[in-house]
Coordinates of all heavy atoms in Angstrom, one line a residue:
M300 N 5.7 1.6 16.5 CA 4.7 2.5 17.0 C 3.9 1.7 18.2 O 3.4 0.6 17.9 CB 3.8 2.9 15.9 CG 2.6 3.8 16.3 SD 1.6 4.4 14.9 CE 2.4 5.8 14.4
G301 N 3.9 2.3 19.3 CA 3.2 1.7 20.4 C 1.9 2.3 20.5 O 1.5 3.2 19.8
A302 N 1.1 1.8 21.5 CA -0.2 2.2 21.8 C -0.3 3.7 22.1 O -1.3 4.4 21.6 CB -0.9 1.4 22.9
H303 N 0.7 4.2 22.7 CA 0.7 5.7 23.1 C 0.8 6.4 21.8 O 0.1 7.5 21.6 CB 1.8 6.0 24.0 CG 1.9 7.5 24.3 ND1 1.0 8.0 25.3 CD2 2.6 8.5 23.8 CE1 1.3 9.3 25.4 NE2 2.3 9.6 24.5
E304 N 1.7 6.1 20.9 CA 1.9 6.8 19.7 C 0.6 6.7 18.8 O 0.1 7.7 18.1 CB 3.0 6.3 18.9 CG 4.4 6.7 19.5 CD 4.8 5.8 20.6 OE1 4.2 4.7 20.8 OE2 5.7 6.1 21.3
I305 N -0.1 5.5 18.7 CA -1.3 5.4 18.0 C -2.4 6.3 18.6 O -3.1 6.9 17.8 CB -1.7 3.9 18.0 CG1 -0.7 3.0 17.3 CG2 -3.2 3.7 17.4 CD1 -1.0 1.6 17.4
R306 N -2.4 6.3 19.9 CA -3.4 7.1 20.6 C -3.2 8.6 20.1 O -4.2 9.3 19.8 CB -3.3 6.9 22.1 CG -4.1 7.7 22.9 CD -3.8 7.4 24.4 NE -4.7 8.2 25.2 CZ -4.4 8.5 26.4 NH1 -3.3 8.1 27.0 NH2 -5.3 9.3 27.1
A307 N -2.0 9.1 20.2 CA -1.8 10.5 19.8 C -2.0 10.7 18.3 O -2.6 11.7 17.9 CB -0.2 10.8 20.1
R308 N -1.7 9.7 17.6 CA -1.9 9.9 16.0 C -3.4 10.0 15.7 O -3.7 10.7 14.8 CB -1.2 8.7 15.3 CG -1.5 8.5 13.8 CD -0.8 9.8 13.1 NE -0.9 9.6 11.7 CZ -2.0 10.1 11.0 NH1 -3.0 10.6 11.7 NH2 -2.1 10.0 9.7
L309 N -4.3 9.3 16.4 CA -5.6 9.3 16.2 C -6.4 10.4 16.9 O -7.7 10.4 16.9 CB -6.2 7.9 16.4 CG -5.7 6.8 15.6 CD1 -6.3 5.4 16.1 CD2 -6.1 7.0 14.2
G310 N -5.7 11.3 17.6 CA -6.3 12.4 18.2 C -6.6 12.2 19.7 O -7.6 12.6 20.3
N311 N -5.7 11.6 20.4 CA -5.7 11.5 21.9 C -6.9 10.7 22.3 O -7.7 11.1 23.1 CB -5.6 12.8 22.6 CG -4.1 13.3 22.4 OD1 -3.2 12.6 22.6 ND2 -4.0 14.5 22.2
L312 N -7.2 9.5 21.6 CA -8.3 8.7 22.1 C -8.0 8.1 23.4 O -6.8 8.1 23.9 CB -8.4 7.5 21.1 CG -8.7 7.9 19.6 CD1 -8.7 6.6 18.8 CD2 -10.0 8.6 19.5
S313 N -9.0 7.5 24.0 CA -8.7 6.9 25.3 C -7.9 5.6 25.1 O -7.9 5.0 24.0 CB -10.1 6.5 26.0 OG -10.7 5.5 25.3
R314 N -7.2 5.2 26.2 CA -6.5 3.9 26.1 C -7.5 2.7 25.8 O -7.1 1.8 25.0 CB -5.8 3.6 27.5 CG -4.6 4.5 27.6 CD -3.9 4.2 29.0 NE -4.8 4.7 30.0 CZ -4.7 4.5 31.3 NH1 -3.7 3.7 31.7 NH2 -5.4 5.0 32.2
Q315 N -8.7 2.7 26.4 CA -9.6 1.7 26.0 C -10.0 1.7 24.6 O -10.1 0.6 24.0 CB -10.9 1.9 27.0 CG -11.9 0.8 26.7 CD -13.1 0.9 27.6 OE1 -13.2 1.9 28.3 NE2 -14.0 -0.1 27.5
R316 N -10.2 2.8 24.0 CA -10.6 2.9 22.6 C -9.5 2.4 21.7 O -9.6 1.7 20.7 CB -11.0 4.3 22.2 CG -11.5 4.4 20.8 CD -12.7 3.6 20.5 NE -13.1 3.7 19.1 CZ -13.6 2.7 18.4 NH1 -13.7 1.6 18.9 NH2 -13.9 3.0 17.2
V317 N -8.2 2.8 22.1 CA -7.1 2.3 21.2 C -7.0 0.8 21.4 O -6.7 0.0 20.4 CB -5.7 2.9 21.7 CG1 -4.5 2.2 21.0 CG2 -5.8 4.4 21.3
Y318 N -7.2 0.2 22.5 CA -7.2 -1.2 22.8 C -8.3 -1.9 21.8 O -8.0 -2.9 21.2 CB -7.4 -1.7 24.1 CG -7.5 -3.1 24.4 CD1 -6.4 -3.9 24.4 CD2 -8.8 -3.7 24.6 CE1 -6.5 -5.3 24.6 CE2 -8.9 -5.0 24.7 CZ -7.7 -5.8 24.7 OH -7.9 -7.2 24.8
Q319 N -9.5 -1.3 21.8 CA -10.5 -1.8 21.0 C -10.2 -1.8 19.5 O -10.4 -2.8 18.8 CB -11.9 -1.0 21.2 CG -12.5 -1.2 22.5 CD -13.6 -0.1 22.7 OE1 -13.7 0.8 21.9 NE2 -14.4 -0.4 23.7
L320 N -9.5 -0.7 19.0 CA -9.1 -0.6 17.6 C -8.1 -1.7 17.3 O -8.1 -2.3 16.3 CB -8.7 0.8 17.3 CG -9.8 1.8 17.3 CD1 -9.1 3.2 17.2 CD2 -10.8 1.5 16.2
T321 N -7.0 -1.8 18.2 CA -6.0 -2.6 17.9 C -6.3 -4.1 18.0 O -5.6 -5.0 17.6 CB -4.7 -2.4 18.8 OG1 -5.1 -2.5 20.2 CG2 -4.2 -1.0 18.5
S322 N -7.4 -4.4 18.6 CA -8.0 -5.8 18.8 C -8.8 -6.2 17.6 O -9.2 -7.4 17.5 CB -8.8 -5.9 20.1 OG -7.9 -5.7 21.2
R323 N -9.2 -5.3 16.8 CA -10.0 -5.5 15.6 C -9.2 -6.5 14.6 O -8.0 -6.4 14.4 CB -10.4 -4.2 14.8 CG -11.3 -3.4 15.6 CD -11.4 -2.0 14.8 NE -11.7 -2.2 13.4 CZ -12.9 -1.9 12.8 NH1 -13.8 -1.3 13.5 NH2 -13.0 -2.0 11.6
A324 N -10.0 -7.3 13.9 CA -9.5 -8.3 13.0 C -8.8 -7.6 11.8 O -7.8 -8.1 11.3 CB -10.5 -9.2 12.5
D325 N -9.3 -6.3 11.5 CA -8.6 -5.6 10.3 C -7.5 -4.7 10.7 O -6.8 -4.1 9.8 CB -9.7 -4.8 9.5 CG -10.3 -3.7 10.4 OD1 -10.2 -3.7 11.6 OD2 -10.8 -2.7 9.8
F326 N -7.1 -4.7 12.0 CA -6.0 -3.9 12.4 C -4.7 -4.7 12.2 O -4.7 -5.9 12.4 CB -6.0 -3.5 13.9 CG -5.2 -2.3 14.2 CD1 -5.6 -1.1 14.1 CD2 -3.9 -2.6 14.9 CE1 -4.7 0.0 14.3 CE2 -3.1 -1.5 15.2 CZ -3.5 -0.2 14.9
P327 N -3.6 -4.0 11.8 CA -2.4 -4.9 11.5 C -1.9 -5.6 12.8 O -2.1 -5.2 13.9 CB -1.4 -3.7 11.2 CG -2.1 -2.5 10.9 CD -3.5 -2.6 11.6
E328 N -1.2 -6.7 12.4 CA -0.7 -7.6 13.5 C 0.5 -6.8 14.1 O 1.3 -6.1 13.3 CB -0.2 -8.8 13.0 CG -1.3 -9.8 12.6 CD -2.1 -10.3 13.8 OE1 -1.5 -10.6 14.8 OE2 -3.3 -10.4 13.7
P329 N 0.8 -6.8 15.5 CA 2.0 -6.3 16.0 C 3.1 -7.0 15.6 O 3.1 -8.2 15.3 CB 1.7 -6.4 17.5 CG 0.8 -7.5 17.7 CD -0.1 -7.5 16.4
V330 N 4.3 -6.3 15.6 CA 5.6 -7.0 15.2 C 6.3 -7.5 16.4 O 7.2 -8.4 16.3 CB 6.4 -6.0 14.3 CG1 5.8 -5.8 13.0 CG2 6.8 -4.8 15.0
A331 N 5.9 -7.0 17.6 CA 6.5 -7.5 18.8 C 5.5 -7.2 20.0 O 4.7 -6.4 19.9 CB 7.8 -6.7 19.1
D332 N 5.7 -8.1 21.0 CA 4.9 -8.0 22.2 C 5.9 -7.9 23.3 O 6.3 -8.9 23.9 CB 3.9 -9.1 22.3 CG 2.8 -8.9 23.4 OD1 2.9 -7.9 24.1 OD2 2.0 -9.7 23.5
L333 N 6.2 -6.7 23.8 CA 7.2 -6.4 24.8 C 6.5 -6.2 26.1 O 5.3 -6.2 26.3 CB 8.0 -5.1 24.5 CG 8.6 -5.0 23.0 CD1 9.1 -3.7 22.8 CD2 9.5 -6.1 22.9
A334 N 7.4 -6.2 27.2 CA 6.8 -6.0 28.6 C 6.0 -4.7 28.7 O 5.0 -4.7 29.3 CB 8.0 -6.0 29.5
Q335 N 6.4 -3.7 27.8 CA 5.7 -2.5 27.9 C 4.5 -2.4 27.0 O 3.7 -1.5 27.0 CB 6.6 -1.3 27.5 CG 7.6 -1.1 28.6 CD 8.6 0.0 28.2 OE1 9.0 0.2 26.9 NE2 9.0 0.9 29.1
G336 N 4.3 -3.4 26.2 CA 3.1 -3.5 25.4 C 3.5 -3.9 23.9 O 4.7 -4.2 23.6
K337 N 2.5 -3.9 23.0 CA 2.6 -4.3 21.7 C 3.3 -3.2 20.8 O 3.0 -2.0 21.2 CB 1.3 -4.8 21.1 CG 0.8 -6.0 21.7 CD -0.5 -6.5 21.2 CE -1.0 -7.7 22.0 NZ -2.3 -8.1 21.5
I338 N 3.9 -3.6 19.8 CA 4.6 -2.6 18.9 C 4.1 -3.0 17.4 O 4.1 -4.1 17.0 CB 6.1 -2.7 19.0 CG1 6.6 -2.5 20.4 CG2 6.8 -1.8 18.0 CD1 6.3 -1.1 20.9
W339 N 3.7 -1.9 16.7 CA 3.3 -2.2 15.3 C 4.2 -1.3 14.4 O 4.8 -0.3 14.8 CB 1.9 -1.5 15.1 CG 0.8 -2.4 15.8 CD1 0.1 -3.4 15.3 CD2 0.4 -2.2 17.1 NE1 -0.8 -3.9 16.2 CE2 -0.6 -3.2 17.4 CE3 0.7 -1.4 18.3 CZ2 -1.3 -3.3 18.7 CZ3 0.1 -1.5 19.4 CH2 -0.9 -2.5 19.6
R340 N 4.3 -1.7 13.2 CA 5.1 -1.0 12.1 C 4.2 0.3 11.8 O 3.1 0.2 11.6 CB 5.2 -1.7 10.9 CG 6.3 -2.8 10.9 CD 6.5 -3.4 9.5 NE 7.3 -4.6 9.7 CZ 7.0 -5.8 9.9 NH1 5.7 -6.2 9.9 NH2 7.9 -6.8 10.0
T341 N 5.0 1.4 11.8 CA 4.3 2.7 11.6 C 3.6 2.7 10.2 O 2.5 3.2 10.1 CB 5.3 3.8 11.7 OG1 5.9 3.8 13.0 CG2 4.6 5.2 11.3
A342 N 4.3 2.2 9.2 CA 3.7 2.1 7.8 C 2.4 1.3 7.9 O 1.4 1.7 7.2 CB 4.7 1.5 6.9
D343 N 2.3 0.2 8.6 CA 1.2 -0.6 8.6 C 0.0 0.1 9.3 O -1.2 0.1 8.8 CB 1.4 -1.9 9.5 CG 2.3 -2.9 8.7 OD1 2.6 -2.6 7.5 OD2 2.8 -3.8 9.4
V344 N 0.3 0.8 10.4 CA -0.8 1.6 11.1 C -1.2 2.8 10.2 O -2.5 3.0 10.1 CB -0.2 2.1 12.4 CG1 -1.3 3.0 13.1 CG2 0.1 0.9 13.3
E345 N -0.3 3.4 9.5 CA -0.7 4.6 8.7 C -1.6 4.1 7.5 O -2.5 4.8 7.1 CB 0.6 5.3 8.1 CG 1.4 6.0 9.2 CD 0.5 7.2 9.8 OE1 -0.4 7.7 9.1 OE2 1.0 7.7 10.9
R346 N -1.2 2.9 6.9 CA -2.0 2.3 5.8 C -3.4 2.1 6.3 O -4.4 2.3 5.7 CB -1.3 1.2 5.3 CG -1.8 0.6 4.0 CD -0.9 -0.4 3.3 NE 0.0 -1.2 4.2 CZ 1.3 -0.9 4.3 NH1 1.9 0.1 3.6 NH2 2.1 -1.6 5.1
W347 N -3.5 1.5 7.6 CA -4.8 1.2 8.1 C -5.7 2.4 8.3 O -6.8 2.5 8.0 CB -4.6 0.4 9.5 CG -5.9 0.0 10.1 CD1 -6.7 -1.1 9.8 CD2 -6.6 0.8 11.1 NE1 -7.8 -1.1 10.7 CE2 -7.7 0.0 11.5 CE3 -6.4 1.9 11.8 CZ2 -8.7 0.4 12.4 CZ3 -7.3 2.4 12.8 CH2 -8.4 1.6 13.0
I348 N -5.0 3.5 8.9 CA -5.7 4.7 9.0 C -6.2 5.3 7.7 O -7.4 5.7 7.7 CB -4.8 5.7 9.8 CG1 -4.6 5.4 11.2 CG2 -5.4 7.2 9.7 CD1 -3.4 6.1 11.9
T349 N -5.4 5.3 6.7 CA -5.7 5.8 5.4 C -6.9 5.1 4.8 O -8.0 5.6 4.3 CB -4.5 5.8 4.4 OG1 -3.5 6.6 4.9 CG2 -5.0 6.2 3.0
K350 N -6.9 3.7 4.8 CA -8.0 2.9 4.4 C -9.3 3.1 5.1 O -10.3 3.3 4.5 CB -7.6 1.5 4.4 CG -6.6 1.0 3.4 CD -6.3 -0.5 3.5 CE -5.3 -0.9 2.6 NZ -4.9 -2.3 2.7
R351 N -9.2 3.2 6.4 CA -10.4 3.4 7.2 C -11.0 4.8 6.9 O -12.2 5.0 6.8 CB -9.9 3.4 8.7 CG -11.1 3.4 9.6 CD -10.6 2.8 11.0 NE -11.6 3.2 12.0 CZ -12.7 2.6 12.2 NH1 -13.0 1.6 11.5 NH2 -13.5 2.9 13.2
R352 N -10.2 5.9 6.7 CA -10.6 7.2 6.4 C -11.3 7.2 5.0 O -12.3 7.9 4.8 CB -9.5 8.3 6.5 CG -9.2 8.5 8.0 CD -8.3 9.6 8.1 NE -8.2 10.0 9.6 CZ -7.1 10.5 10.1 NH1 -6.1 10.9 9.4 NH2 -7.0 10.7 11.4
E353 N -10.7 6.5 4.0 CA -11.2 6.4 2.7 C -12.7 5.8 2.8 O -13.6 6.3 2.1 CB -10.4 5.6 1.8 CG -9.1 6.3 1.4 CD -8.1 5.4 0.7 OE1 -8.4 4.2 0.4 OE2 -7.1 5.9 0.3
R354 N -12.8 4.7 3.6 CA -14.1 4.0 3.7 C -15.1 5.0 4.3 O -16.4 4.9 4.0 CB -14.0 2.8 4.5 CG -13.5 1.7 3.8 CD -13.6 0.3 4.5 NE -12.9 0.4 5.8 CZ -12.0 -0.4 6.1 NH1 -11.6 -1.3 5.4 NH2 -11.3 -0.2 7.3
L355 N -14.7 5.8 5.3 CA -15.6 6.8 5.9 C -15.9 8.0 5.2 O -16.7 8.8 5.5 CB -15.0 7.1 7.3 CG -14.9 6.0 8.3 CD1 -14.2 6.5 9.6 CD2 -16.3 5.5 8.7
G356 N -15.2 8.2 4.1 CA -15.4 9.4 3.2 C -14.7 10.6 3.7 O -15.1 11.7 3.4
N357 N -13.6 10.4 4.5 CA -12.9 11.6 5.1 C -11.7 11.9 4.3 O -10.9 11.2 3.9 CB -12.6 11.4 6.5 CG -13.8 11.3 7.4 OD1 -14.8 11.9 7.1 ND2 -13.7 10.6 8.5

């Protein structure tokens, strides 16, 4: 899952906001850093989203 997919998954956030989120210490580590950008495991990102929503009470 690249930044574009994360952006779409979270409701079309700005590129800057996705960068801020993916730079957080609690965000999963990317599995690759390609010329086009970083790549994350979909399951890791989905787990992060679920935990974050649980903490926010959503």
